[in-house]
Amino acid sequence: QVQLVESGGGVVQPGGSLRLSCSASGFTFSSYGMHWVRQAPGKGLEWVSFIPYDGNNKYYADSVKGRFTISRDNSKNTLYLQVNSLRPEDTAVYYCAKDRVPYSGGWHPPDYWGQGILVTVSS
Amino acid sequence: QSALTQPASVSGSPGQSITITCTGTSSDVGRYNYVSWYQQHPGKAPNLMIYDVTQRPSGVSNRFSGSKSGNTASLTISGLQAEDEAHYYCSSYTSSSTWVFGGGTKLTVL
């Protein structure tokens, strides 16, 4: 079965950086685009970024553009999110999620989600 | 990338039907049939309930159905059950090649 396990979260000071990882199993990772979605404490879902199966044409929400970088290593079945210049409003649970359809350009919604990893930005 | 508009809360009694609306713009909901709905129980990851406006993933009850008219999509849950109590989020692909979520609706089963 599909499993997505996030890691790399924690407490970081404003202006700091982290690299989030998402280890995937149970499906052919190299065939599927992947999303990052976040949820601030007690708030709704916010889409963050998408990377296609081949790692080209990455997409970002305006709120993170220029600060966050999505990437993937298909040889390691792992998705990454480099988060830089962190702000208190970036505090959230970060979920990685698998695209529903293989080889798509991001217009299909995520179907399977990890359990999320908490990032707290605080001094 | 403004969030889609959902009612903050809806409620219904067991066995009844409820509808949650999701209003976007001509750049997202109104432009594409890539509207989906997620159910989220407290402390859990979201679960995909509806995709492509009307389609149900395998394993999702047929009590859940979706529709769209213009810039507004809707999720209807018929035969309400206690386990349906959760937050529900709509989402849509946008003309900027991004995704946008609604603010979420808390469903209370009375």
Side-chain angles (χ1 to χ4, degrees):
Chain A
Q1 69 279 24
V2 173
Q3 273 202 306
L4 299 167
V5 180
E6 300 93 342
S7 61
V11 180
V12 61
Q13 292 188 337
S17 299
L18 283 174
R19 189 175 82 157
L20 307 183
S21 300
C22 171
S23 178
S25 61
F27 65 102
T28 306
F29 180 74
S30 59
S31 299
Y32 287 84
M34 297 292 294
H35 300 257
W36 285 101
V37 178
R38 68 184 181 182
Q39 186 169 34
K43 302 296 185 183
L45 300 171
E46 180 187 14
W47 178 84
V48 172
S49 184
F50 172 80
I51 185 168
Y53 67 98
D54 58 3
N56 296 325
N57 298 325
K58 303 164 187 179
Y59 303 95
Y60 300 94
D62 287 345
S63 58
V64 307
K65 200 173 294 183
R67 300 187 299 122
F68 290 11
T69 302
I70 191 171
S71 62
R72 65 190 297 157
D73 186 336
N74 286 343
S75 69
K76 295 182 178 179
N77 288 350
T78 302
L79 174 72
Y80 303 101
L81 186 68
Q82 179 69 40
V83 296
N84 298 331
S85 303
L86 282 163
R87 307 165 180 168
E89 55 264 35
D90 294 318
T91 294
V93 172
Y94 285 73
Y95 295 99
C96 68
K98 166 190 161 291
D99 203 2
R100 193 183 66 80
V101 176
Y103 306 115
S104 84
W107 47 84
H108 295 287
D111 52 3
Y112 289 93
W113 298 54
Q115 285 305 302
I117 189 76
L118 179 62
V119 172
T120 303
V121 184
S122 174
S123 54
Chain B
Q1 293 178 341
S2 298
L4 307 176
T5 300
Q6 298 181 232
S9 63
V10 298
S11 62
S13 299
Q16 288 186 333
S17 294
I18 63 94
T19 296
I20 300 171
T21 58
C22 170
T23 301
T25 70
S26 57
S27 297
D28 40 62
V29 175
R31 181 165 181 161
Y32 302 102
N33 286 328
Y34 294 128
V35 176
S36 49
W37 290 89
Y38 294 89
Q39 176 191 65
Q40 187 180 34
H41 288 107
K44 300 294 188 181
N47 187 34
L48 181 64
M49 306 302 286
I50 295 287
Y51 66 92
D52 296 354
V53 179
T54 62
Q55 303 301 300
R56 278 189 311 275
S58 173
V60 172
S61 170
N62 59 9
R63 297 185 299 105
F64 292 82
S65 62
S67 63
K68 190 184 87 166
S69 177
N71 295 339
T72 299
S74 299
L75 172 71
T76 298
I77 309 174
S78 59
L80 269 180
Q81 299 179 359
E83 59 261 36
D84 298 334
E85 185 162 296
H87 279 88
Y88 290 85
Y89 295 91
C90 62
S91 66
S92 175
Y93 188 66
T94 81
S95 59
S96 301
S97 302
T98 61
W99 279 83
V100 62
F101 283 92
T105 298
K106 179 175 171 54
L107 168 62
T108 300
V109 180
L110 302 170

